[in-house]
Amino acid sequence: CDNLLEPTPAQQLPADKAITDAGSARAAAIGAYDQVQAYYRLNWPVLGFLPGENVRFNGTLNQFLQIDQNQLSADNVLITEAWTQMYQAVNSANNLIAALPGISDPLLPAAEKNQLLGEVHFLRALVYFDLGRGWGGVPLVLTPTRTKENGQGLRRSTLAQTYDQVLADLTQAETLLPDGATRNRAVKATARALRARLHLYRQQWAPAETYATQVIASSNYRLVTPYRAFSTAPFLSQESVFELSFSNSDANTMWNNWFPSALGGQFNFQPVPAAIAQLNDPAVGGTRSALLASTVIAGANVTYGNLYSRSAQRDDPSYVLRLAEQYLIRAEARARLGKLTDAIADLNAVRARAGLSPTAATTADQLLLAIENERKIEFAFESDRWFDLVRSGRAGEVLGVTDQRRWLFPIPFNDLVADRDLEQNPGY
Amino acid sequence: GATITSYAQSESGPQVSGTVTDASSHTPLPGVTVMAKGSSAGTTTDANGQFTLPVSAGSALIFSYVGYAKKEVQAGSTPLAIDLAPDLQQLSEVVVTGYSEQNRKTLTSAISSVKGDALKDIPAASPDQLLQGKAPGVQVSANSGVPGGGIFIRIRGSNSVNASNDPLYVVDGVFINNTNLIATGLGNQVSANPLADLNPQDIESIEILKDANATAIYGSRGANGVVLITTKRGKAGDKTSITFNTYHALSKAAKQYNLVTGPELAALENERFLNDGGNPAQLPFRSAAAGGRGLPEEQQTYDRLSDVFRTAQTHSYELSAAGGSAKTQFYIGAGYFSQESIARPSAFNRFSLRVNLDNSVTDKLRIGTSTALARTHRNVSSNDNNPVGVINSALFPRTNLPIYNPDGSYAKYGSFDNHLALINNLNNDAVGTRVISNVYGQYALLKNLTLRSSWSIDFNDMYENNFNNTLILAGQPRGTASSFLSRDITLLNEQTLNYNVNFGENHSLQALVGNTLQQNTFQRTSLAGQQFPGNDLTTIASAATQTGSSSRSQAGLVSFFGKATYSFKERYTADVSVRADASSRFGADNRWGYFPAVGLGWRLGEESFVQDLNIFQELKLRGSIGRTGNQAGISDFASLGLVQGGANYLDLPGTAPLQLANPNLSWESTQQWNVGLDAAVLQNHLVLELNYYDKYTSGLLLNVPVPRKTGFSSVVENFGAVSNKGIEVQLTANWLPKTTAVQWSTSFNVARNVNKIEKLAAPITTGSRDIFRLEEGAPLYSFWLYKQTGVSRENGDAQYEDVNGDGRITVADRKLVGNAWPNYFGGVTNSVNYKGLDFGFTLNFEQGAKIMNMNRFFLVHGGTQSNIGYLSEQLQRWQKPGDVTDIPRLTSVASSNNYGGVVQNLSDRYLEDGSFLRVRTLTLGYSLPKETIASVHLSSLRVYVQAANLFTFTPYSGLDPEVNSQSGVSNTKNFDWATVPQPRTVQVGVTVGL
């Protein structure tokens, strides 16, 4: 009877025996990457570009249409999914952060132990940073969940507290991580690059400049030419500071959302005519016109987004941190700090790579607008435009989303019901 | 009658002996009670129907046996030969109950029986579908018209939220699996019904056990009711009877979607453009010379739907032989059934074989088997929630767009595939292999005490091979293929000890104890390939990239059970039963569950004060109460906190938390009481059965939502409660005396079930777009939508109920606006026989269920969906001040909330009344006179024509009110999204007896 009544799971492990030695610690770190990859595969890029004005939703699913039209409601299933995935990634990171110090395995040298710990601190920082810029202050869970009672009474923190936690994790990560030029796992420079972005979002211009400079100064990174090179197989270009790699067995099918059905896609995300015009304008898009491709369907020319294009290999990465952004972060920080010449140089570095003439901006205000517009084109199909405009307070002016309460995503309705500690963002 | 022959008295005193046989088949009847009238002497017949009783010749003997008319015989000289005639009265039929049989007279439970005759010849693949409208309180509806596809079946409502609500199926004592094994993603539809592996023609009877007294003997698996399927067995007779049965049918969709024409579409688009503030000079459909797409009236209309829907064929052939000697009886049958879907290219076929054998090795030992083998083949294709489904690809693209590109290639629009590309290239095969087999040995330890041991296997295997070539979207960019091998095996061992005794004339006792051991193993291996050299090399071996995976899971169940029925004068009956089950799915401390039940029956009709009324031929009151359990539908390791592999990155192995532990996890428990009344009046012309039940299920195995900040979204807990209360009525009228040439009977049943979620931790939303929501106090399958109060006559904008009164429409204004439960449902069966002619019809109906018509949701979109066409209903939109309609003006502006915005088109204007009354079958048959066919050496010949689903009366605007396109998603029902409707079928058939 005992055999009959106590079968052993063949493909799962008891949670308390999951992280005990070198092998299982490595696997848990990989698992944390996998969960960050999960929300960056589709949901996070979509929440970054679709509320902006470059891309329209051309499919049938209302949850995307709501995002496109800046009409989110709290029952939007994509919002719910992203929120869920992000906290899953946090829990994975928390598990390893809690277990690693207790592991003494001769096969896990101190250096590797530090590296793994640094990596999950970085990943947790990334998730909380994204949660913060998406929803504002969120509950800060820092210990692994064992029972559903864990975290009871934990309310939303403020945005400042959330960003403080991001900073704490990044500081830890920077200490623990090795130097190096790995681009799809975190190294010191990865933490610094995210830190530069964090300071930019917090309008801490001097440290933003400092940290961006540390990355830009590293010989491991450079702007690659032509523009398309960073998104060309085998990827992991020198421009990449952090990208999430995919492979055929761990596939990214983002291309399917961009390609027209004649090419086997669903054409859900369609560049709008204005964006097509800008990308194709030699004075604005330059070589970034390579983000577009076209094909003839029923006698008509159809233009589509081509950033994700590996339909057979399905190994398009998700782009998280690129050197071009570090230049633009520093340009903006310097413009704010009154270092206009340096700022212009940084902006021009990005423009030159795209085959454009130097910027005509001369005043700080002109320059800030030029940087904002440069980001719109440079990261046209990446997760940036919406957060950029919200950060600068210009989402109302540029996108017409005048109700500032709509600048934050709604907390998923279902989670509000399940979690008494949670409070909805105003306006939803 | 008794034959009296010469008799030599034995030395040991007076004795009477003899043999009891069935009057029609002459099979020996074991277990017949033989009593000497007026004395306590009595015995039962042995396995060969023989008995010896120490009474003197001339005594009056009374022979009684379940299902046979009681007989009194004056014992002359022995051996006696006694023929017992089956009791034709409906109320004394034999009913198969859990692990035994019982006379309906002494039954205290609520059990519906459907005889095989009532099921045969209906052109449906699986036997459960045949129960539709036949048994009160049993709600059966096909999820779609795809042959061999899933069936929604609920006995007395739904008890559970997360665990399964399907009944337990027991075929000749084998607990069978009814989990769909098809792994190919086909939208949200359950693609296969494992019961379609059974050939309906092999079935002798189906018993549906409904109340706790009937189901508690099945303990933890009985809560959702139990369907006992008994297959045909041979009877001893002079002659082996061979039957050949065949029918051929043509099916069509009874209704078609009504789409706008090309010109109408263009006019709608122009109107939308203007409503959105577009420049009148820039209308999308203006003359081509002005840079437009041509004037509306210049637009073509392309009909895609006619390519998809076809006249489909069904063929059925079945050959069986039954017979046997006094020692060995057999039934062997072979069948072939093939059915095309009315929507191309799906099809189903089945080869089935059955061997049922029984042999009396000695007087005391009997052995036998029930063994069935089936091979099914499904050509499957996706529909419903899938833009590359066949119906979707024909229904959704705009009607003004050509089917082919100018170069002759398939034209594809938006996210949709080309329907002809799919029809011509879909290549998804699912081949099922099923063995359901049982062998038993039965030994009479004592005269009244029998030990039975049986060993069973349910082996269910599904092998799928899919290849998508480059002509369809799923095959992009260079061909894709997948293959799945899934295997679900149940092993079962069971012992029962049966004790049957009559004390004197008035007391009878039936008792049994038993145990079962059960093990279920599920395994799946899957392979995928991408990038093929061409469209002709279709196996994964040819693919450039090959990936694979496998999974395995196992569960065990250990049970002990017992039951006893005591009856006094067949007037007062008491039942008691209990089962103890231990399941591997729960924590060690909560592993065992105990499921007791009692039932009481009182045949008032036997009391003199009722008999004096001279109204009732039968009047019986029944009552029962008991508890059953449920553990189906949760994962095999649901109680454990687990971390799972497969969370890979950079092609390195990774692990990630999977689920939270719940060591307290235990059984879902259903308490049910039932009161019933059976009555026969007007010389048995009118027979009534009434039941009222009240079920309360607590400790639901629920995915209780947990705060997502924990990194989990839910945990399986015993939390929450659901109740079902209802009434069932069955009325059978035999309009004419048994003696007239015309025989006419009608059976009518109706049931009402009220389902309510009594307790829930937090509301749970489910299904596409969270359209379904579970809330405390509301029934399951409730629709959560915005309530549209009207369309403004002044500006044409939709108006919604502002539920919380805050002056704006937000998600807080979504509310439960109805549910998918019918208020009443039931059926009518009518049959008329005159000489060789038979005429019959069956109806079934449901009243009051709501259906979410997603076809309208998508295709009445007001211009928000640039890749989707319109149903004609869109033409009813508001156009100018004063218009009265519930279809708002065309616009894609989000802030209007007309079709998009916060409301996301989730308006209850797409929620419809799904009531229907359907003429399920209409049959006219003729059996040739025996004399006519005797000359060609046939023993019987019947020819018939039948129409199925000839008429459906319904206010529902979709193709078919019997729809459940999200059957793969729990807690959803009545969701209509590009689903294959139930076909209208005409068939001819012939049954030949040799």
Side-chain angles (χ1 to χ4, degrees):
Chain A
C1 278
D2 279 359
N3 284 345
L4 202 58
L5 289 178
E6 285 177 9
T8 317
Q11 56 197 62
Q12 293 98 17
L13 283 170
D16 51 354
K17 292 183 188 146
I19 307 174
T20 52
D21 58 6
S24 56
R26 289 177 196 130
I30 290 295
Y33 276 104
D34 178 64
Q35 296 196 308
V36 169
Q37 201 190 26
Y39 82 88
Y40 263 97
R41 190 185 307 248
L42 173 71
N43 294 339
W44 201 251
V46 167
L47 287 170
F49 69 69
L50 199 54
E53 75 277 57
N54 284 337
V55 181
R56 65 177 284 271
F57 180 66
N58 182 44
T60 60
L61 293 167
N62 285 315
Q63 61 264 37
F64 290 95
L65 202 61
Q66 278 194 339
I67 298 169
D68 188 12
Q69 298 176 329
N70 305 110
Q71 283 283 337
L72 277 170
S73 65
D75 54 348
N76 186 292
V77 294
L78 192 130
I79 288 283
T80 308
E81 196 175 282
W83 174 264
T84 310
Q85 289 167 332
M86 291 164 92
Y87 271 107
Q88 282 172 346
V90 167
N91 188 38
S92 266
N94 288 343
N95 265 288
L96 195 54
I97 289 171
L100 261 177
I103 296 177
S104 57
D105 181 341
L107 296 175
L108 189 68
E112 191 187 356
K113 202 167 170 176
N114 282 341
Q115 182 208 326
L116 295 177
L117 201 54
E119 285 185 280
V120 284
H121 274 293
F122 168 77
L123 292 175
R124 191 167 73 181
L126 177 62
V127 180
Y128 275 127
F129 175 74
D130 285 340
L131 282 166
R133 62 175 171 161
W135 283 270
V138 294
L140 293 171
V141 181
L142 303 173
T143 52
T145 299
R146 291 285 173 256
T147 76
K148 65 165 187 169
E149 284 79 24
N150 290 159
Q152 231 169 48
L154 186 69
R155 308 178 68 82
R156 293 181 67 176
S157 61
T158 62
L159 180 61
Q161 288 165 336
T162 304
Y163 282 160
D164 284 347
Q165 178 57 42
V166 176
L167 184 64
D169 272 330
L170 287 177
T171 311
Q172 274 274 38
E174 197 186 335
T175 319
L176 294 163
L177 285 168
D179 278 311
T182 312
R183 300 169 201 284
N184 47 20
R185 292 183 72 154
V187 291
K188 274 195 192 333
T190 327
R192 289 173 186 144
L194 182 58
R195 189 161 171 183
R197 189 197 275 170
L198 174 72
H199 289 308
L200 182 80
Y201 272 64
R202 304 190 82 176
Q203 306 189 348
Q204 298 161 341
W205 314 115
E209 184 194 13
T210 308
Y211 279 90
T213 301
Q214 288 189 30
V215 181
I216 294 167
S218 162
S219 60
N220 291 327
Y221 306 101
R222 65 180 181 88
L223 289 174
V224 293
T225 42
Y227 172 80
R228 195 73 171 84
F230 80 87
S231 55
T232 302
F235 308 108
L236 304 171
S237 71
Q238 279 204 294
E239 167 156 3
S240 179
V241 181
F242 188 54
E243 67 190 50
L244 291 156
S245 297
F246 289 85
S247 67
N248 211 331
S249 55
D250 183 16
N252 184 0
T253 54
M254 188 65 149
W255 67 271
N256 185 265
N257 286 301
W258 293 86
F259 278 30
S261 53
L263 297 176
Q266 304 211 358
F267 213 10
N268 285 328
F269 305 136
Q270 194 179 30
V272 299
I276 294 173
Q278 283 191 319
L279 283 165
N280 283 333
D281 182 341
V284 179
T287 56
R288 290 176 294 206
S289 60
L291 285 173
L292 300 174
S294 59
T295 184
V296 176
I297 298 170
N301 218 38
V302 173
T303 300
Y304 60 94
N306 196 37
L307 174 63
Y308 304 94
S309 61
R310 302 273 291 173
S311 57
Q313 301 80 0
R314 308 188 296 177
D315 59 354
D316 281 305
S318 290
Y319 305 99
V320 183
L321 294 162
R322 287 204 278 126
L323 190 65
E325 189 199 357
Q326 297 298 311
Y327 273 104
L328 293 173
I329 288 171
R330 193 169 70 175
E332 187 174 336
R334 285 173 165 175
R336 292 283 187 183
L337 292 168
K339 307 174 181 174
L340 295 192
T341 317
D342 291 344
I344 288 169
D346 282 339
L347 173 58
N348 284 342
V350 173
R351 290 177 61 83
R353 191 269 298 264
L356 299 176
S357 55
T359 177
T362 51
T363 69
D365 283 348
Q366 284 170 353
L367 193 53
L368 287 170
L369 182 61
I371 292 166
E372 180 187 295
N373 286 333
E374 203 63 44
R375 292 184 76 115
K376 177 188 173 191
I377 305 299
E378 176 70 25
F379 308 114
F381 304 148
E382 290 164 66
S383 191
D384 189 70
R385 178 66 171 166
W386 167 253
F387 299 118
D388 205 41
L389 293 174
V390 167
R391 167 177 72 86
S392 64
R394 283 180 29 87
E397 237 169 293
V398 178
L399 301 174
V401 187
T402 47
D403 181 354
Q404 293 204 9
R405 299 175 306 177
R406 297 260 148 193
W407 292 4
L408 291 178
F409 301 144
I411 300 282
F413 189 72
N414 287 338
D415 205 22
L416 283 175
V417 179
D419 186 351
R420 283 164 199 220
D421 303 322
L422 215 46
E423 249 177 276
Q424 183 56 285
N425 282 326
Y428 288 102
Chain B
T3 320
I4 297 164
T5 53
S6 64
Y7 164 67
Q9 198 169 342
S10 76
E11 293 167 71
S12 57
Q15 267 197 342
V16 174
S17 64
T19 307
V20 184
T21 54
D22 178 287
S24 54
S25 71
H26 307 294
T27 323
L29 290 173
V32 176
T33 305
V34 188
M35 301 292 303
K37 198 176 182 181
S39 93
S40 65
T43 185
T44 50
T45 57
D46 65 16
N48 296 322
Q50 293 172 347
F51 69 94
T52 311
L53 202 59
V55 294
S56 44
S59 305
L61 299 182
I62 298 167
F63 296 85
S64 59
Y65 190 50
V66 174
Y68 288 81
K70 209 180 248 189
K71 189 166 192 172
E72 194 173 322
V73 172
Q74 208 69 25
S77 46
T78 57
L80 296 168
I82 309 295
D83 275 345
L84 286 188
D87 190 338
L88 297 174
Q89 271 193 39
Q90 195 174 4
L91 289 168
S92 53
E93 65 181 353
V94 181
V95 179
V96 181
T97 60
Y99 298 101
S100 61
E101 292 183 345
Q102 216 170 327
N103 188 318
R104 194 169 272 284
K105 279 182 191 164
T106 61
L107 200 64
T108 69
S109 314
I111 298 180
S112 294
S113 301
V114 182
K115 295 296 170 207
D117 279 355
L119 305 177
K120 65 180 190 193
D121 302 335
I122 300 176
S126 65
D128 47 352
Q129 198 176 351
L130 309 180
L131 295 173
Q132 201 163 43
K134 294 258 179 1
V138 182
Q139 191 188 0
V140 179
S141 70
N143 294 327
S144 78
V146 175
I151 302 286
F152 176 93
I153 179 163
R154 292 288 180 273
I155 297 174
R156 296 185 164 180
S158 289
N159 306 319
S160 183
V161 167
N162 198 35
S164 168
N165 278 303
D166 287 333
L168 168 69
Y169 293 90
V170 181
V171 179
D172 294 331
V174 187
F175 296 16
I176 65 163
N177 299 317
N178 66 332
T179 323
N180 162 44
L181 291 187
I182 288 190
T184 303
L186 298 171
N188 282 324
Q189 189 67 262
V190 171
S191 16
N193 174 7
L195 285 169
D197 296 338
L198 296 174
N199 181 357
Q201 310 268 354
D202 286 337
I203 291 173
E204 175 74 28
S205 70
I206 298 181
E207 258 82 16
I208 300 139
L209 314 188
K210 298 190 286 196
D211 70 344
N213 188 36
T215 57
I217 193 75
Y218 292 102
S220 68
R221 310 192 56 186
N224 300 328
V226 181
V227 177
L228 299 177
I229 298 177
T230 310
T231 59
K232 292 174 181 165
R233 309 197 82 82
K235 288 183 178 129
D238 305 333
K239 187 168 175 282
T240 298
S241 65
I242 295 176
T243 308
F244 175 71
N245 186 25
T246 182
Y247 63 79
H248 302 266
L250 295 176
S251 306
K252 279 190 82 153
K255 202 170 165 185
Q256 195 44 272
Y257 296 105
N258 211 349
L259 294 168
V260 295
T261 62
E264 285 169 342
L265 182 136
L268 287 172
E269 272 305 291
N270 281 349
E271 185 178 323
R272 194 270 310 158
F273 181 80
L274 293 174
N275 285 354
D276 283 356
N279 176 358
Q282 296 293 317
L283 286 176
F285 290 92
R286 60 185 189 275
S287 71
R293 293 186 239 167
L295 293 165
E297 57 270 26
E298 293 164 7
Q299 301 301 313
Q300 298 286 311
T301 302
Y302 296 90
D303 173 20
R304 292 174 167 81
L305 290 164
S306 303
D307 296 331
V308 173
F309 289 96
R310 63 178 163 192
T311 300
Q313 305 204 28
T314 302
H315 305 286
S316 172
Y317 305 90
E318 195 247 343
L319 187 64
S320 66
S325 65
K327 284 215 145 189
T328 305
Q329 295 90 43
F330 69 92
Y331 170 88
I332 57 174
Y336 173 71
F337 175 83
S338 94
Q339 189 165 40
E340 291 175 332
S341 169
I342 52 171
R344 288 190 174 92
S346 303
F348 170 81
N349 71 47
R350 171 186 63 221
F351 286 97
S352 60
L353 301 174
R354 171 169 290 278
V355 177
N356 289 350
L357 267 182
D358 302 283
N359 175 263
S360 299
V361 180
T362 67
D363 288 357
K364 297 194 164 173
L365 179 63
R366 196 163 162 83
I367 56 170
T369 182
S370 307
T371 297
L373 175 67
R375 177 214 179 260
T376 56
H377 177 250
R378 287 175 175 84
N379 186 348
V380 294
S381 56
S382 62
N383 272 307
D384 53 83
N385 186 3
N386 197 335
V388 294
V390 184
I391 294 180
N392 307 55
S393 65
L395 176 63
F396 285 76
R398 298 191 156 195
T399 43
N400 64 320
L401 299 172
I403 295 167
Y404 295 101
N405 292 318
D407 63 3
S409 61
Y410 296 119
K412 299 173 184 185
Y413 305 96
S415 21
F416 299 95
D417 211 328
N418 182 290
H419 66 292
L420 287 175
L422 289 172
I423 291 169
N424 297 330
N425 295 288
L426 269 180
N427 184 0
N428 301 335
D429 280 327
V431 176
T433 306
R434 185 83 179 258
V435 177
I436 299 173
S437 178
N438 160 279
V439 296
Y440 73 88
Q442 187 174 304
Y443 190 77
L445 295 167
L446 297 168
K447 210 145 225 173
N448 303 320
L449 189 65
T450 313
L451 176 68
R452 182 184 164 102
S453 176
S454 75
W455 300 76
S456 311
I457 183 169
D458 177 6
F459 175 95
N460 195 1
D461 197 284
M462 188 64 74
Y463 185 39
E464 297 166 76
N465 279 295
N466 308 316
F467 177 70
N468 302 306
N469 68 19
T470 56
L471 296 171
I472 61 178
L473 290 183
Q476 299 306 318
R478 288 184 213 154
T480 63
S482 57
S483 177
F484 304 94
L485 182 61
S486 315
R487 186 165 284 179
D488 197 356
I489 298 176
T490 301
L491 299 174
L492 187 71
N493 164 248
E494 188 165 86
Q495 277 65 236
T496 56
L497 194 60
N498 243 297
Y499 184 66
N500 252 323
V501 72
N502 294 294
F503 308 97
E505 240 180 288
N506 296 329
H507 308 271
S508 73
L509 177 68
Q510 259 185 309
L512 76 85
V513 291
N515 79 305
T516 66
L517 302 172
Q518 187 182 337
Q519 186 184 58
N520 187 268
T521 314
F522 173 81
Q523 299 168 84
R524 173 171 288 153
T525 302
S526 55
L527 289 170
Q530 278 98 35
Q531 302 201 65
F532 285 75
N535 283 343
D536 296 325
L537 291 166
T538 63
T539 52
I540 292 169
S542 312
T545 312
Q546 302 166 10
T547 51
S549 176
S550 73
S551 62
R552 183 187 160 86
S553 187
Q554 192 176 325
L557 191 67
V558 174
S559 316
F560 298 94
F561 54 87
K563 75 169 182 179
T565 299
Y566 166 76
S567 188
F568 177 69
K569 286 188 164 175
E570 288 194 336
R571 192 183 296 175
Y572 310 102
T573 306
D575 279 330
V576 56
S577 68
V578 65
R579 185 173 182 121
D581 276 345
S583 166
S584 66
R585 285 178 167 167
F586 302 126
D589 300 339
N590 279 323
R591 187 159 281 161
W592 285 92
Y594 302 92
F595 307 99
V598 294
L600 296 170
W602 177 22
R603 290 178 69 211
L604 273 159
E606 300 289 294
E607 306 287 354
S608 54
F609 63 87
V610 174
Q611 290 191 328
D612 292 347
L613 298 172
N614 207 12
I615 297 174
F616 298 98
Q617 284 70 58
E618 172 69 287
L619 185 64
K620 182 167 81 171
L621 284 176
R622 289 177 280 111
S624 73
I625 186 163
R627 182 194 307 150
T628 46
N630 192 0
Q631 59 143 351
I634 59 166
S635 86
D636 285 342
F637 304 109
S639 70
L640 306 175
L642 295 174
V643 162
Q644 174 167 256
N648 303 341
Y649 178 63
L650 304 180
D651 292 332
L652 293 170
T655 58
L658 172 70
Q659 65 188 29
L660 282 168
N662 179 4
N664 298 319
L665 197 65
S666 189
W667 304 90
E668 220 171 66
S669 151
T670 297
Q671 311 266 8
Q672 179 177 193
W673 59 266
N674 186 91
V675 289
L677 172 88
D678 298 319
V681 295
L682 303 173
Q683 266 41 61
N684 285 320
H685 279 313
L686 203 60
V687 178
L688 169 76
E689 185 183 342
L690 262 176
N691 279 301
Y692 177 81
Y693 61 88
D694 186 323
K695 282 201 288 186
Y696 191 89
T697 306
S698 55
L700 294 184
L701 290 165
L702 201 64
N703 278 324
V704 176
V706 300
R708 284 172 162 83
K709 67 190 175 200
T710 59
F712 299 90
S713 50
S714 65
V715 60
V716 185
E717 284 186 25
N718 292 102
F719 194 95
V722 166
S723 71
N724 288 278
K725 294 174 186 151
I727 185 159
E728 297 163 353
V729 181
Q730 174 148 307
L731 208 54
T732 305
N734 296 302
W735 301 105
L736 300 167
K738 293 261 182 218
T739 48
T740 55
V742 181
Q743 286 297 303
W744 177 22
S745 70
T746 304
S747 178
F748 166 80
N749 76 72
V750 62
R752 171 175 170 77
N753 182 69
V754 178
N755 174 274
K756 188 175 163 199
I757 301 170
E758 300 280 353
K759 199 170 130 202
L760 201 63
I764 298 171
T765 54
T766 181
S768 164
R769 293 161 170 85
D770 288 345
I771 283 174
F772 292 87
R773 185 170 159 101
L774 285 67
E775 275 185 22
E776 207 167 281
L780 287 163
Y781 318 131
S782 289
F783 295 97
W784 188 48
L785 299 165
Y786 292 91
K787 173 112 188 123
Q788 181 174 316
T789 52
V791 166
S792 161
R793 292 171 69 164
E794 289 71 43
N795 65 18
D797 281 339
Q799 296 158 326
Y800 302 95
E801 186 183 336
D802 181 8
V803 176
N804 63 1
D806 66 351
R808 20 179 230 138
I809 297 300
T810 66
V811 61
D813 298 314
R814 270 178 95 163
K815 60 182 273 192
L816 302 188
V817 289
N819 62 72
W821 291 102
N823 296 324
Y824 302 94
F825 63 96
V828 178
T829 304
N830 187 74
S831 76
V832 181
N833 285 286
Y834 173 68
K835 296 199 170 156
L837 278 174
D838 61 272
F839 167 75
F841 63 82
T842 57
L843 312 176
N844 79 312
F845 58 88
E846 289 193 8
Q847 188 273 322
K850 295 281 191 292
I851 299 176
M852 183 65 184
N853 189 337
M854 294 303 283
N855 303 309
R856 290 175 57 219
F857 173 94
F858 287 112
L859 290 155
V860 183
H861 58 72
T864 54
Q865 302 285 351
S866 53
N867 293 307
I868 294 180
Y870 296 94
L871 285 174
S872 297
E873 188 191 337
Q874 185 74 67
L875 299 170
Q876 313 299 318
R877 81 278 179 208
W878 182 96
Q879 294 175 73
K880 56 183 190 309
D883 284 357
V884 179
T885 171
D886 68 338
I887 308 297
R889 75 189 166 94
L890 296 156
T891 179
S892 63
V893 173
S895 57
S896 73
N897 277 334
N898 280 351
Y899 300 97
V902 165
V903 169
Q904 304 182 75
N905 216 21
L906 292 166
S907 163
D908 75 340
R909 66 175 171 261
Y910 304 121
L911 190 68
E912 299 184 40
D913 183 354
S915 301
F916 67 89
L917 168 66
R918 169 170 275 171
V919 183
R920 178 65 58 190
T921 61
L922 190 65
T923 314
L924 182 65
Y926 179 62
S927 301
L928 273 71
K930 286 221 185 306
E931 314 80 68
T932 319
I933 54 174
S935 57
V936 288
H937 307 290
L938 295 179
S939 63
S940 67
L941 179 64
R942 174 173 176 262
V943 290
Y944 68 93
V945 289
Q946 178 175 284
N949 301 336
L950 196 55
F951 305 109
T952 303
F953 305 96
T954 176
Y956 181 59
S957 76
L959 297 191
D960 198 290
E962 199 177 308
V963 65
N964 190 14
S965 60
Q966 239 177 199
S967 54
V969 181
S970 57
N971 300 310
T972 72
K973 163 135 179 56
N974 282 17
F975 190 77
D976 187 359
W977 181 344
T979 307
V980 181
Q982 292 298 302
R984 177 182 287 168
T985 302
V986 175
Q987 82 188 73
V988 295
V990 57
T991 306
V992 184
L994 301 170

